[in-house]
Amino acid sequence: MQSTPSTSRASAKAFLVVLGAGLLTSLPAFAKQSDRDQPVNVTSTSFDGTQQQPNGKEPGKVIWTGNVVLTQGTLKVTGNKATGYLDGDNQITRVVVDGAATMQQQDEQNLWMRGKANNIDYKVDQDYAVLTGNAHVEKEVDPADRKKLNQSNGDKLTYNTSNSTMTGESNGSAPVHMIFQPKQQPAAAPAAPAAQPKKP
């Protein structure tokens, strides 16, 4: 089933109640909660960074370049370049990824969410990521059929990495577009045998 909001206003917004549940499927599922307790790991071809200075107002910053891969548990974000912002304890609070940016994360049912955009702004300490520019997010909805996906497209998609909720926004002429997979129908019960005539 395809669902496209009927509005064509310049700023069309849609709210997905539980994307991680498979976009309105019957059993809500949340992003893998253990991810939040995992360390953030970043690899790249090169980096250049500065720590926040004592009593300094400017946050520390690290710029990673080339094949950037950020992981935190099942969460994975990739891109050509990323800028990380550090707090006073030099912990990563935000990572902005540019150039063929992608992200993926499992939920508690081990179903994958995958997204891509021109830019991904991941607020590590606030548990959400903003996908901007040709943003696309797809979500597995059936453990038995990994090809069955619910999908969302828009100029801007905001994904909560804690509870898998999402908002979508279109700033151009094209509306937010969502595709919902049909609910699995239960197998039909076998027909009851015809009643036999009673013997005289």
Side-chain angles (χ1 to χ4, degrees):
M1 169 181 152
Q2 294 191 356
S3 173
T4 303
S6 59
T7 178
S8 60
R9 292 177 299 173
S11 180
K13 293 186 177 182
F15 182 70
L16 288 68
V17 180
V18 191
L19 178 77
L23 293 175
L24 310 180
T25 55
S26 58
L27 294 175
F30 294 98
K32 191 80 74 177
Q33 295 301 296
S34 59
D35 287 351
R36 305 176 70 190
D37 301 323
Q38 300 300 313
V40 175
N41 294 285
V42 185
T43 62
S44 64
T45 302
S46 62
F47 79 92
D48 183 14
T50 59
Q51 295 183 341
Q52 180 173 337
Q53 301 303 310
N55 301 319
K57 295 182 179 180
E58 291 296 321
K61 185 164 67 172
V62 181
I63 299 175
W64 296 277
T65 307
N67 300 316
V68 180
V69 179
L70 177 150
T71 59
Q72 185 180 24
T74 68
L75 178 69
K76 180 179 180 181
V77 182
T78 69
N80 297 329
K81 178 183 177 182
T83 303
Y85 297 88
L86 312 177
D87 62 14
D89 296 320
N90 289 308
Q91 299 296 307
I92 294 178
T93 61
R94 177 187 179 198
V95 178
V96 179
V97 183
D98 294 299
T102 70
M103 71 178 297
Q104 65 180 30
Q105 185 179 33
Q106 277 188 319
D107 65 18
E108 292 291 357
Q109 296 179 354
N110 296 322
L111 295 170
W112 284 100
M113 176 284 299
R114 296 182 180 89
K116 61 181 180 179
N118 297 339
N119 172 280
I120 294 178
D121 187 349
Y122 175 33
K123 313 279 190 176
V124 180
D125 60 342
Q126 299 178 47
D127 296 318
Y128 74 89
V130 180
L131 292 78
T132 307
N134 300 309
H136 172 81
V137 171
E138 59 188 32
K139 178 70 177 65
E140 295 177 349
V141 296
D142 185 352
D145 184 0
R146 299 285 178 164
K147 294 182 180 180
K148 185 177 287 188
L149 304 169
N150 285 341
Q151 303 177 51
S152 295
N153 298 280
D155 294 322
K156 177 180 177 182
L157 300 175
T158 301
Y159 174 74
N160 188 306
T161 60
S162 174
N163 60 21
S164 298
T165 57
M166 191 174 75
T167 59
E169 180 177 347
S170 178
N171 295 318
S173 59
V176 176
H177 181 207
M178 298 161 61
I179 300 174
F180 299 92
Q181 293 296 328
K183 184 177 179 180
Q184 185 70 35
Q185 299 297 322
Q196 297 296 323
K198 293 181 179 180
K199 293 182 180 180

